[in-house]
Amino acid sequence: MKQIQKAAELQAAVSEAKAKGLQIGLVPTMGALHEGHLSLIERALKENDLVVVSLFVNPIQFNNREDLEKYPRTIEADLELIEGLIAHADCRAKELLAFTPTVDEMYPDGEPTEIVYHFGPVEEVMEGPRRPGHFNGVAVVVRRLFDLSQPTRAYFGEKDYQQIAVIRALLEQMLPTTHYPLPTLVPCPIVRADDGLALSSRNKRLTPAARQMAPAINATLEQAAEMAEYEEVDDVKEWVLDTLASWHEVNECGEGLRFEPEYFEIVDAITLQPIADWTDADEHGAVGCIAVWLDGVRLIDIVKF
Ligand code: PAF
């Protein structure tokens, strides 16, 4: 594994690899790596000759300063985890580059506030209106990573389900004007803890009592998937929101712990538009997407119907 901090150095390594006809896999991350990220990297290592893992906490995708400040930064541990993977994984890739730029290196002309994307309906639901500017910030950084690494394939986890739809829209917009072949988008399944909680860097912020309660999100969604066999869409939605909102446990200080659901939407798996009837999603399938607050931590998860 080689750590690269400079954009020009990454571009040089990529040009050399492309000249040899090598395939490049890109795994964009914000660090604080867990098994979910490692599963993306392992897959990229199996499917490509060279893998670029970016570790960059992208300030322009945080619409909340406190969230940016609290975001875990564990670069040394992250690099060790990646090093372990390339040493042990059964892989096609001969080389792994860990790209760890500074903010100035990524945005040499300052934060690019002049770049404004419009992705239409996929960004107008769920996370979009609740986190203004978030997807624009994601698109700007992902576009920069695509330009620098010109990957054959780009790997993203399905926990951030709407992010994948936004990146699909970004690729569609890039197609007419981009001078290099665009990557294939590779959505990868969520990795869960043994108790079902979707792995997330935010889980580190849960107190022991909240961590014990959090798997109820996935358990509720799994039950919802069973209910979908015989219940209407609106009834399943209402049941999920009511079940979580009425859940009540007591933490280590004797205080009540509750879920505060922000949204639960059942949407078409590709257009992300809410469906009224299961048959509305016959072509692509339906997905349930949820955001829930638990003890000051915002957790998201999905279920496929
Ligand atoms: O999913 C994430 O961790 C981030 O949104 C990404 C794609 C690395 C862009 O900063």
Side-chain angles (χ1 to χ4, degrees), residues 36-289:
H37 298 110
L38 300 188
S39 74
L40 306 186
I41 303 172
E42 275 174 347
R43 177 145 176 207
L45 287 167
K46 285 200 176 104
E47 296 178 352
N48 302 276
D49 305 300
L50 167 67
V51 170
V52 178
V53 178
S54 63
L55 301 113
F56 176 65
V57 181
N58 177 31
I60 64 167
Q61 73 182 74
F62 287 82
N63 52 320
N64 173 331
R65 191 114 225 116
E66 197 190 336
D67 207 19
L68 170 62
E69 275 156 19
K70 278 194 193 160
Y71 200 85
R73 288 158 174 87
T74 56
I75 189 78
E76 294 308 325
D78 292 344
L79 292 175
E80 264 179 46
L81 283 172
I82 300 178
E83 183 92 63
L85 279 189
I86 182 89
H88 298 112
D90 148 34
C91 51
R92 158 176 161 189
K94 297 279 170 295
E95 205 178 353
L96 192 154
L97 304 177
F99 181 48
T100 57
T102 59
V103 175
D104 288 344
E105 189 64 25
M106 279 304 260
Y107 304 124
D109 302 321
E111 293 189 4
T113 44
E114 74 291 355
I115 309 178
V116 181
Y117 287 101
H118 297 284
F119 296 119
V122 290
E123 67 171 346
E124 285 161 9
V125 291
M126 302 188 289
E127 298 291 304
R130 290 172 174 91
R131 301 178 71 190
H134 168 68
F135 286 128
N136 201 68
V138 169
V140 169
V141 78
V142 168
R143 165 83 203 240
R144 177 122 171 91
L145 291 168
F146 284 169
D147 289 347
L148 293 174
S149 61
Q150 301 194 8
T152 319
R153 298 178 190 83
Y155 297 80
F156 294 88
E158 282 188 330
K159 189 173 71 65
D160 293 296
Y161 196 83
Q162 194 172 1
Q163 172 168 277
I164 293 180
V166 165
I167 290 161
R168 193 177 290 121
L170 171 70
L171 286 167
E172 276 165 21
Q173 289 188 15
M174 287 174 69
L175 192 59
T177 51
T178 308
H179 64 279
Y180 57 86
L182 291 177
T184 303
L185 181 60
V186 187
C188 301
I190 293 182
V191 176
R192 296 183 182 280
D194 290 345
D195 56 16
L197 179 65
L199 296 189
S200 162
S201 312
R202 283 165 205 261
N203 294 353
K204 293 198 177 102
R205 288 199 223 150
L206 294 168
T207 60
R211 173 62 190 81
Q212 227 182 328
M213 183 163 153
I217 301 169
N218 172 247
T220 305
L221 294 182
E222 280 188 357
Q223 253 181 285
E226 285 171 27
M227 283 174 73
E229 306 282 323
Y230 52 90
E231 294 284 2
E232 298 295 332
V233 172
D234 278 349
D235 295 334
V236 173
K237 267 170 69 170
E238 197 180 316
W239 179 82
V240 166
L241 289 168
D242 288 352
T243 304
L244 288 173
S246 57
W247 207 285
H248 184 231
E249 288 185 21
V250 175
N251 73 9
E252 38 290 85
C253 307
E255 297 154 347
L257 269 187
R258 288 189 182 282
F259 289 115
E260 290 167 63
E262 204 174 279
Y263 65 82
F264 174 60
E265 293 289 356
I266 299 182
V267 299
D268 177 284
I270 296 293
T271 67
L272 299 201
Q273 297 314 289
I275 58 168
D277 191 275
W278 297 111
T279 56
D280 295 344
D282 272 352
E283 195 185 342
H284 306 129
V287 177
C289 301

